[in-house]
Amino acid sequence: MLKLKRNVLLFFLIVMSNCYLAAQNVDTPLNNAVRFYELQQYPKAIQAFNQLIKNGYATLSAKNKLSVLLKLAYSYKQNKDEVNAERLYRQAFSTFPKLISDDAKAYVNFAQVLANNGKFQEAQEYLSLSENIQSTKSQSGNTPQNMSSPTSQKSTATFNNTINYKIEYLDINTSGPEFSPMYYKDGIVFCSEKESSTKLINDKGSLLDLYYLDDLKKVQQSQEPNADKRKRKNTTKNSKALGDDYYSRQTSNDTKTLNYFSGEEEKQSNQPANSESFSKALNSKFHEGPATFNHDFSKIIFTRNNSTGNRKGLSEDNISKLKLYISENINGNWEEAIELPFNDNEYSTAHPAWSKDEKILYFASDRPGGFGGMDIWAVSYNNGQWAVPKNLGKNINSKGSEVFPFVDENGNLYFSSNGQGGEGDLDIFFAEMNAGQSISKASNIGKPFNSPFDDFGIISDGNRQIGYFSSNRKLGEDDDIYRFSVEKTISDCREMTIIVFDTKTKKAISNAVVVITSADNHLESKKTDVNGNITFCTTQDTDYSFKIEKEGFVVKTIGYSTKGEIDKESSTLEINLVKQEPVELQISTSKNSTSTPKNLNPANLKNKSMLTGFVKSEIDQKPMEGVLVSFINVCDNSIQQITTGADGSYTFYMNEDCDYTIEVSKSGYGKNVNKIKKVKKGNAKVISQDLSLFKEGDLITMNKIYYDSGSATLRKDAMRELNKLTITLQKTPTMVIELGSHTDSRGDAQDNLNLSTKRAQAAVDYIVSKGISRNRILAKGYGESELVNSCADGVSCTEIEHQQNRRTTVKIIKIK
């Protein structure tokens, strides 16, 4: 059974199929693929549709071609393969640019895929396109004319506006500044004023230190102070507006001014609630912060004024610029901070943001080569060595100032800018990134994150579900830290209709009982009407379980999740039930059996669990005839056996509280062995287990084995896919394979060949480390010699198109 996974917009848990549909499967490849799709068996639908695209797609009508692309894209989406889902949707919209009628719903599905891939702005554009179509249809009843491409539309809204966010003012804020939080272990490190004022410059000067809150659970929402309790003192004549002196916040080391408050109501101590000074070794008499950390928090990179020891460093214009410093934690103590090599006395280098893989450091700087005041730059880090910083270009930077970058867990970039329009002053922007390069122009993330005042220093999870940011929105005065989270509204109702029907006859089933269980164990029971329907409300970000019962039918339970849903449009879920009918079985007993099989005559089968499925060839997914299927009871070693017919189907009944092993084999093919876990007493169910067999010469593309650009190091997601291949090799001990690695066309051909060879060898080494004999796997690098599309040298392609060529293939060389 497939598990519900977080951030999946719509994911069904299929626990049954039935043997009657198998007879209908001897049909065209299109009908075969559609059948899997309608049964919500999305992995099988993906294989069937892909095979159809390879063989027979050209003969389809235009309507069926569009249907194939959209159904395949949706299957990838439901299988949580967002990369391929995006690829297929783009192919569909490129081939068929104007969708109408029910097909236009694909725009909403594509928007959800884009959102999961972090492409919020583009997702909003497709949502707007769908809304425009619906609006035009409701007003005129006609297909909209002269519809422009969604990517060419200028949308003033942003994607996150389709989600309700809760913004909280926090109790860690004081009358002084708190800003630029960064995750550290179970808490956050942020910038705030020192506990006692400094006399380093003058009475109106103040410095910033790094503070640490060790547990985010300690952070509470707080009531914002009244305006009459926070009054700003007049600053000196020389004070400058925010951002004038090379970075967003001034310190006493720059203009000798800082936001400064007084009055009887002011707190006696400016130390943030529940927090402590982050490190006496790092906090000095100069300004420290913001900061960033590596993945295990053993290294910190932070901003500090140009200094050596206790001496302040000055530029030629007598200003202490900002620099970046790095320190390592040894045995619980932070070592002396070391200046990074790309700093300079004559310009500021500040606001670090380290990528999760530690390969790229983003920062803000006014160094030569930029577009305006401060720009966002990136520098590569490899084996302890820093490369030459590179400006991120016009997709990110403007004639204004871009500051306070943050890189999320997906490698995408947030930053603030006052030069690209928006709500006012500094606004927070978002940009998709790949290996330190922007994929598209940065987009304003809109309200409620941005206000007419300064908004900056955001940190967030990869889906922007929860996080923190800084703003002086309260009175346009000092900076405070706010928490944001996706808000669940009880009154929100996303209507769902469940339709229950007979699998064989396709007729609606009335008076079927549907028991609805949500994640909080709330139970609701409804009966279907004469049309087999029930209707009820789902809520956002909730997992559901539906149990459907009807006398004379096998009980069925499926799962459904609203996690990640971005709209409130109604949805429909069709559920098919199988009638309880006896099936003739061939029973045999193994030589080692110490007991005889239990009586399985039809009279005793009514309340038994059933295993049913199909056996197909792995590559073309065609039903296999003449396959011996053995179903072995682990409790008493009794065996049920059946040889598949033309439809490739099989069905077995199961005893309760016994594990089973199912084996399928055929001459010229490998053997497939799977374990079936026991069914508890009184919990009869139908279990679906489709099986497939390999033959010599089969070629399989493993689409989910990705490498970082230019790297042969296996990523964790690639290891998960290789683990699946390892299991296949364990199940088929006579199988010998070639593992091939392919690159895209970018770069030198010989370098690509060498890189692909290293990648293939790395994959083989990993599988061998799992106990597979090395003489069963051949590593082969193909470089760019076998591209799957037209993205050769000199051809302009998207990153998604290049990703299609960076793939791993498995060829079955031999099966004894």
Side-chain angles (χ1 to χ4, degrees):
M1 182 184 293
L2 295 173
K3 295 181 180 178
L4 282 173
K5 295 184 179 179
R6 195 175 181 180
N7 303 321
V8 178
L9 305 179
L10 183 62
F11 203 100
F12 298 112
L13 299 177
I14 305 301
V15 297
M16 61 80 67
S17 178
N18 85 92
C19 59
Y20 298 106
L21 282 182
Q24 302 171 9
N25 188 45
V26 185
D27 207 338
T28 66
L30 176 59
N31 288 346
N32 183 41
V34 170
R35 185 179 64 81
F36 283 125
Y37 177 84
E38 291 177 344
L39 285 174
Q40 300 142 16
Q41 295 180 333
Y42 297 113
K44 297 301 181 184
I46 289 170
Q47 292 178 322
F49 279 124
N50 277 322
Q51 185 62 33
L52 176 62
I53 289 176
K54 291 180 181 178
N55 300 298
Y57 179 77
T59 63
L60 299 177
S61 66
K63 181 179 179 180
N64 282 340
K65 286 180 179 178
L66 174 60
S67 177
V68 166
L69 292 176
L70 294 182
K71 283 182 170 61
L72 177 55
Y74 186 80
S75 298
Y76 276 124
K77 173 179 176 289
Q78 296 302 91
N79 207 38
K80 200 169 171 52
D81 187 348
E82 309 289 356
V83 173
N84 275 314
E86 179 178 342
R87 173 177 64 85
L88 266 298
Y89 275 124
R90 290 194 187 281
Q91 183 179 342
F93 299 154
S94 174
T95 308
F96 305 93
K98 296 182 181 180
L99 301 188
I100 60 175
S101 188
D102 292 340
D103 288 336
K105 295 179 181 179
Y107 289 137
V108 176
N109 293 330
F110 186 40
Q112 294 171 340
V113 170
L114 290 170
N116 285 343
N117 289 340
K119 301 175 181 180
F120 301 107
Q121 182 66 28
E122 190 179 2
Q124 176 60 40
E125 293 170 355
Y126 274 93
L127 277 179
S128 299
L129 178 59
S130 176
E131 291 168 0
N132 291 341
I133 293 175
Q134 295 302 321
S135 175
T136 304
K137 286 174 63 179
S138 63
Q139 293 175 15
S140 65
N142 297 324
T143 302
Q145 301 297 317
N146 300 322
M147 187 194 308
S148 61
S149 168
T151 56
S152 68
Q153 297 176 358
K154 178 64 176 177
S155 174
T156 57
T158 51
F159 185 77
N160 67 303
N161 288 339
T162 63
I163 301 175
N164 294 323
Y165 282 98
K166 180 180 180 181
I167 304 296
E168 300 173 275
Y169 177 85
L170 302 177
D171 62 357
I172 61 175
N173 294 310
T174 70
S175 58
E178 281 78 37
F179 64 98
S180 287
M182 179 55 65
Y183 294 117
Y184 180 73
K185 297 183 178 179
D186 295 326
I188 53 173
V189 169
F190 57 97
C191 299
S192 185
E193 278 186 319
K194 292 181 182 296
E195 291 185 47
S196 58
S197 61
T198 177
K199 301 294 182 179
L200 181 63
I201 301 300
N202 61 19
D203 289 341
K204 296 178 183 179
S206 184
L207 292 173
L208 299 172
D209 267 356
L210 294 174
Y211 279 81
Y212 175 38
L213 180 72
D214 62 359
D215 188 353
L216 287 173
K217 295 178 181 178
K218 297 179 181 179
V219 181
Q220 301 295 326
Q221 184 176 6
S222 175
Q223 184 177 359
E224 298 186 21
N226 295 327
D228 60 354
K229 293 183 179 181
R230 294 192 61 165
K231 297 180 180 178
R232 185 192 300 274
K233 272 193 174 183
N234 292 328
T235 55
T236 66
K237 293 186 294 182
N238 296 325
S239 24
K240 300 180 180 181
L242 184 66
D244 281 358
D245 191 22
Y246 304 103
Y247 79 117
S248 67
R249 167 165 297 285
Q250 292 97 16
T251 72
S252 55
N253 289 326
D254 296 322
T255 62
K256 303 182 181 180
T257 63
L258 184 71
N259 294 338
Y260 184 74
F261 300 94
S262 68
E264 294 180 356
E265 296 293 336
E266 185 172 347
K267 293 183 182 180
Q268 296 299 313
S269 171
N270 275 337
Q271 179 170 339
N274 298 318
S275 68
E276 60 185 17
S277 178
F278 177 64
S279 169
K280 293 181 179 180
L282 299 182
N283 284 331
S284 69
K285 67 178 184 179
F286 300 103
H287 162 89
E288 274 85 29
T292 188
F293 300 89
N294 65 339
H295 75 283
D296 62 358
F297 307 109
S298 63
K299 293 180 182 178
I300 181 175
I301 296 177
F302 64 96
T303 308
R304 175 187 283 170
N305 290 107
N306 180 10
S307 60
T308 303
N310 290 324
R311 297 185 60 185
K312 178 173 58 177
L314 298 175
S315 63
E316 291 184 359
D317 55 0
N318 203 37
I319 294 177
S320 178
K321 304 292 184 179
L322 299 173
K323 291 187 174 182
L324 294 179
Y325 295 79
I326 187 170
S327 175
E328 187 170 3
N329 194 300
I330 306 295
N331 297 324
N333 298 310
W334 290 103
E335 299 293 297
E336 182 180 355
I338 301 173
E339 182 180 335
L340 294 185
F342 45 85
N343 290 316
D344 194 282
N345 291 338
E346 300 306 314
Y347 45 76
S348 286
T349 305
H351 309 168
W354 213 345
S355 64
K356 189 174 181 179
D357 60 9
E358 302 175 31
K359 292 183 178 181
I360 300 172
L361 180 73
Y362 298 92
F363 61 90
S365 178
D366 61 336
R367 63 187 56 220
F371 289 79
M374 294 283 281
D375 277 5
I376 305 297
W377 297 70
V379 58
S380 298
Y381 182 68
N382 187 24
N383 295 325
Q385 299 297 314
W386 297 99
V388 177
K390 295 182 180 179
N391 189 288
L392 289 186
K394 63 182 180 180
N395 279 349
I396 305 297
N397 296 310
S398 70
K399 293 182 179 180
S401 287
E402 281 69 42
V403 287
F404 294 101
F406 166 73
V407 57
D408 67 17
E409 61 196 41
N410 297 326
N412 294 323
L413 182 69
Y414 292 85
F415 64 94
S416 289
S417 173
N418 61 9
Q420 303 187 43
E423 301 297 327
D425 291 345
L426 284 175
D427 267 16
I428 301 174
F429 287 75
F430 172 86
E432 279 184 87
M433 306 297 292
N434 181 53
Q437 299 292 323
S438 60
I439 295 177
S440 58
K441 187 171 179 60
S443 57
N444 188 303
I445 67 173
K447 297 177 181 179
F449 301 97
N450 291 319
S451 71
F453 301 99
D454 288 314
D455 306 286
F456 62 99
I458 190 172
I459 57 176
S460 173
D461 65 296
N463 294 310
R464 205 185 297 164
Q465 298 287 304
I466 188 170
Y468 301 80
F469 67 97
S470 317
S471 178
N472 65 348
R473 63 182 59 192
K474 187 163 50 272
L475 297 172
E477 295 183 349
D478 231 328
D479 301 319
D480 295 303
I481 294 176
Y482 292 79
R483 177 168 55 204
F484 70 86
S485 58
V486 174
E487 188 172 23
K488 297 181 181 179
T489 305
I490 297 177
S491 60
D492 286 349
C493 174
R494 190 176 191 272
E495 187 179 87
M496 164 167 276
T497 299
I498 290 181
I499 305 173
V500 182
F501 63 95
D502 187 312
T503 299
K504 186 176 182 179
T505 65
K506 305 297 183 183
K507 292 182 178 180
I509 300 176
S510 60
N511 292 317
V513 177
V514 181
V515 180
I516 306 166
T517 307
S518 62
D520 59 1
N521 294 320
H522 172 70
L523 295 177
E524 182 178 4
S525 181
K526 289 177 173 284
K527 283 189 175 182
T528 57
D529 59 21
V530 293
N531 297 315
N533 297 348
I534 66 162
T535 301
F536 66 102
C537 286
T538 62
T539 56
Q540 188 180 35
D541 202 27
T542 303
D543 295 336
Y544 290 91
S545 175
F546 306 134
K547 183 178 181 180
I548 303 92
E549 299 176 291
K550 173 70 175 180
E551 185 177 357
F553 290 83
V554 178
V555 176
K556 184 173 186 179
T557 303
I558 71 169
Y560 179 91
S561 177
T562 61
K563 289 182 177 179
E565 285 183 346
I566 59 174
D567 60 69
K568 296 181 182 179
E569 291 188 7
S570 60
S571 58
T572 301
L573 177 60
E574 296 182 350
I575 300 176
N576 56 328
L577 296 185
V578 180
K579 281 189 175 180
Q580 291 179 328
E581 296 182 13
V583 177
E584 292 185 5
L585 302 175
Q586 300 176 16
I587 309 295
S588 64
T589 305
S590 68
K591 295 180 180 179
N592 298 324
S593 176
T594 58
S595 62
T596 59
K598 296 182 179 180
N599 187 4
L600 291 179
N601 64 66
N604 296 329
L605 296 179
K606 183 176 180 180
N607 295 318
K608 282 188 173 294
S609 292
M610 182 169 65
L611 175 72
T612 181
F614 308 103
V615 182
K616 297 195 172 188
S617 55
E618 180 67 34
I619 300 302
D620 58 17
Q621 286 297 293
K622 291 182 178 179
M624 293 185 64
E625 184 177 5
V627 178
L628 178 63
V629 186
S630 301
F631 195 48
I632 306 168
N633 186 321
V634 176
C635 292
D636 58 14
N637 290 327
S638 61
I639 302 176
Q640 303 174 47
Q641 289 184 323
I642 190 171
T643 300
T644 60
D647 60 8
S649 69
Y650 67 88
T651 301
F652 298 110
Y653 282 94
M654 302 171 61
N655 291 331
E656 296 174 332
D657 282 339
C658 280
D659 292 332
Y660 282 83
T661 299
I662 185 169
E663 297 182 358
V664 294
S665 60
K666 184 178 180 179
S667 177
Y669 290 79
K671 178 186 290 187
N672 194 339
V673 181
N674 285 271
K675 293 182 179 179
I676 307 298
K677 291 186 177 180
K678 61 187 176 184
V679 177
K680 294 181 179 179
K681 288 185 177 180
N683 191 27
K685 63 174 67 174
V686 174
I687 300 174
S688 175
Q689 180 74 66
D690 289 353
L691 301 168
S692 57
L693 291 177
F694 293 96
K695 68 176 183 299
E696 291 183 9
D698 281 350
L699 182 67
I700 304 100
T701 298
M702 304 183 70
N703 290 318
K704 293 185 179 180
I705 297 185
Y706 303 132
Y707 297 86
D708 293 322
S709 181
S711 172
T713 302
L714 283 174
R715 295 179 358 183
K716 288 185 177 180
D717 51 1
M719 292 179 184
R720 287 193 291 268
E721 293 304 308
L722 291 175
N723 288 339
K724 297 177 185 178
L725 177 57
T726 301
I727 293 172
T728 299
L729 291 169
Q730 290 170 342
K731 290 181 178 180
T732 315
T734 60
M735 181 186 291
V736 179
I737 66 170
E738 173 201 276
L739 196 150
S741 179
H742 304 256
T743 69
D744 59 43
S745 62
R746 293 177 292 185
D748 180 76
Q750 185 59 48
D751 290 343
N752 285 337
L753 180 60
N754 295 339
L755 177 62
S756 65
T757 301
K758 291 179 181 178
R759 287 175 172 175
Q761 192 59 56
V764 169
D765 290 342
Y766 178 80
I767 295 173
V768 170
S769 72
K770 298 297 180 179
I772 302 299
S773 174
R774 189 177 294 275
N775 61 16
R776 295 180 58 198
I777 318 174
L778 172 66
K780 185 174 178 59
Y782 287 89
E784 59 184 81
S785 64
E786 295 187 0
L787 302 178
V788 297
N789 53 32
S790 60
C791 296
D793 291 339
V795 177
S796 178
C797 291
T798 66
E799 182 59 33
I800 297 296
E801 290 171 324
H802 283 302
Q803 179 68 72
Q804 296 172 31
N805 291 315
R806 297 198 301 271
R807 67 198 191 280
T808 298
T809 56
V810 176
K811 183 177 182 180
I812 311 301
I813 298 176
K814 188 177 183 180
I815 295 181
K816 296 180 180 179

